[in-house]
Amino acid sequence: MANKKLILQIDFRSGLPIYTQIVNQVQAQIASGILQPDDQLPTVRALAEELRVNFNTVARAYRILDEARIISTQQGRGTFITESLPPKATERLRREALEALTQRYLSEALRLEFSKSEIRQTINDQLKARNEANEPKE
Amino acid sequence: MANKKLILQIDFRSGLPIYTQIVNQVQAQIASGILQPDDQLPTVRALAEELRVNFNTVARAYRILDEARIISTQQGRGTFITESLPPKATERLRREALEALTQRYLSEALRLEFSKSEIRQTINDQLKARNEANEPKE
DNA sequence: AATGCATTGATACATTTAGTACAATTATGG
DNA sequence: CCATAATTGTACTAAATGTATCAATGCATT
């Protein structure tokens, strides 16, 4: 299941940027189940050649999808569909995501035998530092 | 004590090079005492297979650690943790490890648009929960 | 026409993978 | 004990892959 040909139809006259069309169609194929988690996408250069497009354009599309956590681009390795996220981030799912993230962090920190006060201290310091550097909100 | 399984968690999506992640985690585990002088690390090929990574990538990490005198790679024999660093250096490594770990955690959490108070709350809740479950220490 | 912006293209680069060969050490079998 | 094989790290080359940066292009607004 990890090998599957990605078929995209680019309309060069549509007015829509090419990278947007790539983003949309990959998203659609994931939503429809054609593309599944861990599937590997074509390399930026391979897809670019197939679409007769500059590989930077494909890279841009991949970067957008990566930032949206839809795919995972890995330098030197390739590009893969990530585990499917719930389409709607309900409040409960949001909370679960943060709890999972925090649990991984604390498990690792405690495994490395950092004390709870050290952890609290570091968290506070860094949050404070980010306050001063960026928008002091919250 | 010279036999101990090295457990590394590589995040292929983190953007950090794989060899850097290996370096950081080995350093952290030495600083925390999980890995001790004369402990043998997995062979480059064994660790590579476990991490699903090319053995050159592991070799690169080992070479960096070797150049930093943190481990000793010995052709034909294996790689071993060197004698312990001065406590000063160990403490610095420990601190850096926690700061790096925390930074990654906060960056991810903030990127997902969790508020600082949400983060603080979740950290506190989970630390409290771990207190009650295990030995309430510190 | 001029300016500014978004898109695309060109180029150099960092990382990872792959393959091969080699040297040093250790394990094995006679 | 010795010869040989297997293990282990090292070195090197080449190719694949995504990344970063800036230039060129086209288009809209002024």
Side-chain angles (χ1 to χ4, degrees), chain A residues 6-116:
Chain A
L6 178 65
I7 297 180
L8 300 183
Q9 288 299 330
I10 302 301
D11 180 355
F12 292 97
R13 287 163 300 182
S14 72
L16 271 183
I18 299 167
Y19 70 87
T20 303
Q21 296 185 47
I22 297 175
V23 168
N24 290 342
Q25 292 188 35
V26 170
Q27 266 181 328
Q29 296 198 19
I30 291 174
S32 72
I34 298 176
L35 294 173
Q36 297 180 348
D38 290 335
D39 279 350
Q40 179 166 14
L41 294 180
T43 70
V44 291
R45 287 173 177 81
L47 183 55
E49 182 176 8
E50 183 177 320
L51 300 180
R52 313 297 189 88
V53 147
N54 189 276
F55 77 87
N56 293 297
T57 303
V58 177
R60 181 169 180 179
Y62 279 9
R63 180 164 49 78
I64 292 171
L65 289 164
D66 182 271
E67 285 168 355
R69 286 307 206 235
I70 292 171
I71 66 178
S72 162
T73 57
Q74 300 170 17
Q75 186 168 343
R77 292 169 57 86
T79 302
F80 306 86
I81 309 288
T82 56
E83 295 309 311
S84 54
L85 295 180
K88 281 189 8 175
T90 68
E91 186 50 34
R92 197 170 73 83
L93 292 172
R94 240 176 74 81
R95 171 141 316 269
E96 283 172 2
L98 178 57
E99 283 175 358
L101 191 63
T102 303
Q103 187 161 345
R104 283 200 298 279
Y105 164 69
L106 288 180
S107 294
E108 181 64 11
L110 292 172
R111 186 169 85 96
L112 294 174
E113 309 210 328
F114 291 108
S115 73
K116 289 167 182 167

